[in-house]
Amino acid sequence: MSSLALLLLFLAANTIDGARDKPNILLLLADDMGWGDLGVNLPHLPSNTPFLDKLANSGIRFQDFHSGSSVCTPSRSALLTGRLGQRTGVLDNFGPDSVGGLPDTEITLAKILKEAGYRTAAIGKWHLGLTQGHHPLDHGFDRYFGVPYSLDMGCSVPPGLDMPPKRSCRRNLNNGSKEFSNTPLPLYKDRDILHQPVKLADLAQLYAEFGTNYINEDKNKPFFLLVAFSHVHVPLAHGNNFSNATNGGVFENCLREMDWIAEELVRAAGLENTLIWFLSDNGPWQSKCSLAGSAGPYKGVWQQYNGGGSAKRTVWEGGHRVPAFINWAPVIKSTVSSALLSALDVVPTISSLTGAKLPSHHFYDGLDISTDLLQGHSIDGHQVLLHPSNAHVGHWDDIGAVRVRHMKAVFHSGGVAGCGLPEPPFRFHYPPLVFDLAMDPEERFPLHGTRRFKVAERALQVLHEYLNSVQKDNTSVVDTRTDPAVRPCCSHYLGNCFCPWDEPN
């Protein structure tokens, strides 16, 4: 029986008062997890993601899947809106002092699914603003539980492992007094701060408990749950139950812990009517050395030969080619896809699969691959795909690389430090460097001659068409101001925002 026939039978058997019983949506988003950190992608090595591997093997695993940006905030904006940063205005990371956030003119997947009858919640790292109008509850989520930005944007007691080492929120000085460093990390429950500072080693258990309880709250209404793991972004810390990872240390232990959270939530949701989409926000943060993950074969060797990093914050493959899969039993059959796909495809695809409607006043950069998924067809994927530059490397509104099927034109290089490597100067390449990823996934040997110039010509045409579409679009404007007064603060009376129940002795 075909996948489409199975789907029709499934929908017919799951009807309430003549209305379609929509699938639950579990969107699992890892933080700084490289393509090579999902065990099934490198089967010859020991795996620290056994449960995720099982899901990937029984669903559709994507080999050429890309984040919407190689840095945290723009990639999350692209994932939840289906639109690149030139349209949303989100081109750089927000932090504790950010006045702005994801503009309210942007329509998130949570808003789209809520309109379609879903209950919605987000766990973990939001990183799209906290001030009025920018909180998760302002963007379509009914519930929120998590640390709202990167774990290195505040202090904790004790601190996790980072490179260079991160200070604790408190340290005793020789004269017996105390010195406080930057603002403690807050743990939010909806709009309230539950703990400040949060204990990093407790996060996994807290996330799993909140998610499990949320899933079980109402079995009569479908849910959309975004699980934006804090794992495996530095500083790294994990519970005592995850101290014996295979082939490694604290980073591998944190991978194991993230795998466990996923298992707990999937067990609560069940596989029968849950669409699980797993991906990472960007590739590994190379400058963190042993505290960072693996980009697998996507090494960006040309950049390494010329100094600097070639993963997170870059347009090399290691920065934005990420592990990804969909598991939706029994609708989607087990397969591996080499189609060129993107996190931008999540919004149009899930909207289509759930019968939700996309707003008509915005342009979208993603593809709807729902028909191919349901019918079991080979996915065509993108013919061309744009890779934005990190806002700190190059210009704010630049696209740093363009994929043209298996060919890639690289306009920007340098500007990012690697493990033990200095930060090389930023370089603009015109004509661009061109790589044939089918033959050279390590991006080691740039092409020359006619092939280079043909790809460069096509890439420039793609850029021209894209910029024209942005000019015709309803684009958004971001408030980029910062102000220490907007920092999350549990208790101003303690001098540095500690919650009274979390004040260290």
Side-chain angles (χ1 to χ4, degrees):
M1 185 177 291
S2 71
S3 296
L4 181 58
L6 280 172
L7 175 66
L8 293 174
L9 287 173
F10 174 81
L11 294 177
N14 289 273
T15 300
I16 301 174
D17 296 330
R20 171 179 170 177
D21 184 15
K22 302 174 187 293
N24 297 315
I25 306 296
L26 189 56
L27 183 56
L28 305 176
L29 179 65
D31 195 357
D32 286 7
M33 180 181 179
W35 188 94
D37 293 325
L38 183 66
V40 69
N41 280 344
L42 296 176
H44 60 288
L45 297 177
S47 174
N48 290 295
T49 56
F51 181 73
L52 291 172
D53 294 345
K54 182 178 178 181
L55 289 179
N57 277 326
S58 58
I60 180 167
R61 177 164 53 95
F62 303 118
Q63 294 288 81
D64 198 358
F65 192 97
H66 298 260
S67 60
S69 174
S70 65
V71 286
C72 299
T73 292
S75 73
R76 290 157 197 273
S77 171
L79 170 66
L80 289 176
T81 65
R83 290 156 52 82
L84 288 169
Q86 286 75 13
R87 303 186 193 277
T88 64
V90 180
L91 297 162
D92 198 8
N93 287 338
F94 298 123
D97 294 354
S98 292
V99 173
L102 180 65
D104 59 9
T105 49
E106 293 298 320
I107 310 299
T108 66
L109 181 59
K111 284 186 177 180
I112 292 168
L113 292 179
K114 189 172 183 178
E115 185 71 20
Y118 278 75
R119 54 192 180 102
T120 60
I123 296 174
K125 178 177 171 178
W126 170 241
H127 217 175
L128 292 170
L130 277 176
T131 55
Q132 185 62 39
H134 306 301
H135 188 279
L137 271 58
D138 298 321
H139 278 289
F141 291 98
D142 301 319
R143 304 294 309 278
Y144 173 64
F145 185 86
V147 178
Y149 37 74
S150 295
L151 298 183
D152 61 347
M153 291 183 166
C155 59
S156 60
V157 180
L161 291 181
D162 199 352
M163 187 178 295
K166 196 158 189 70
R167 289 195 301 171
S168 172
C169 291
R170 171 187 53 80
R171 62 181 181 138
N172 294 320
L173 303 180
N174 292 333
N175 61 7
S177 62
K178 300 173 183 176
E179 178 186 46
F180 297 93
S181 60
N182 54 345
T183 303
L185 288 170
L187 177 67
Y188 273 78
K189 185 176 183 180
D190 298 327
R191 295 187 188 273
D192 299 322
I193 296 177
L194 197 63
H195 291 288
Q196 191 173 13
V198 64
K199 293 182 179 178
L200 299 182
D202 293 347
L203 278 179
Q205 187 68 43
L206 292 170
Y207 287 176
E209 287 177 357
F210 179 87
T212 298
N213 291 336
Y214 175 77
I215 288 168
N216 291 325
E217 276 177 10
D218 183 358
K219 293 292 188 178
N220 294 318
K221 193 174 183 180
F223 67 78
F224 166 48
L225 179 58
L226 168 65
V227 184
F229 299 101
S230 297
H231 302 63
V232 277
H233 193 295
V234 291
L236 301 179
H238 55 81
N240 293 331
N241 294 336
F242 299 92
S243 57
N244 295 302
T246 303
N247 191 35
V250 65
F251 179 87
E252 290 74 18
N253 291 338
C254 288
L255 272 179
R256 282 274 184 174
E257 189 173 67
M258 183 186 73
D259 190 72
W260 172 80
I261 301 172
E263 185 173 11
E264 291 293 296
L265 298 178
V266 171
R267 181 181 292 115
L271 288 172
E272 184 177 341
N273 190 27
T274 303
L275 189 158
I276 304 162
W277 200 322
F278 175 87
L279 68 157
S280 180
D281 67 339
N282 49 248
W285 199 351
Q286 269 181 335
S287 64
K288 301 301 178 178
C289 298
S290 64
L291 302 182
S294 166
Y298 305 107
K299 303 177 185 300
V301 173
W302 185 94
Q303 182 63 72
Q304 292 186 11
Y305 281 165
N306 288 274
S310 57
K312 178 179 177 177
R313 299 180 60 218
T314 78
V315 295
W316 300 102
E317 290 295 289
H320 49 76
R321 189 188 291 231
V322 294
F325 64 80
I326 298 175
N327 184 295
W328 187 15
V331 178
I332 296 177
K333 66 179 182 180
S334 174
T335 188
V336 177
S337 172
S338 59
L340 177 58
L341 297 169
S342 169
L344 296 160
D345 307 333
V346 170
V347 167
T349 300
I350 288 182
S351 296
S352 180
L353 289 172
T354 58
K357 293 182 179 179
L358 288 178
S360 59
H361 63 285
H362 277 157
F363 289 9
Y364 288 87
D365 295 304
L367 293 177
D368 174 7
I369 61 171
S370 60
T371 300
D372 289 337
L373 289 175
L374 296 178
Q375 296 183 359
H377 292 166
S378 176
I379 300 171
D380 289 334
H382 293 261
Q383 295 301 302
V384 296
L385 188 63
L386 306 177
H387 299 310
S389 286
N390 172 13
H392 296 291
V393 181
H395 303 291
W396 285 87
D397 59 351
D398 272 351
I399 299 295
V402 177
R403 276 286 297 273
V404 181
R405 294 185 291 275
H406 63 279
M407 309 296 283
K408 180 176 175 182
V410 177
F411 292 92
H412 295 173
S413 69
V416 177
C419 174
L421 298 172
E423 184 174 296
F426 167 78
R427 292 176 62 186
F428 178 76
H429 299 273
Y430 185 81
L433 303 173
V434 172
F435 298 88
D436 182 346
L437 296 178
M439 303 297 295
D440 180 22
E442 294 184 336
E443 296 174 292
R444 184 184 296 266
F445 304 111
L447 300 179
H448 298 282
T450 303
R451 293 182 72 198
R452 176 188 186 184
F453 289 103
K454 283 186 175 180
V455 175
E457 183 179 31
R458 176 64 178 129
L460 290 169
Q461 181 186 2
V462 169
L463 284 175
H464 178 73
E465 292 169 353
Y466 173 68
L467 293 176
N468 280 342
S469 77
V470 171
Q471 291 174 358
K472 298 174 183 177
D473 196 3
N474 288 309
T475 56
S476 299
V477 177
V478 168
D479 186 344
T480 60
R481 293 176 298 158
T482 57
D483 184 350
V486 304
R487 289 180 187 174
C489 202
C490 182
S491 176
H492 293 274
Y493 301 105
L494 292 177
N496 203 35
C497 297
F498 285 92
C499 292
W501 50 89
D502 294 317
E503 162 70 355
N505 297 323

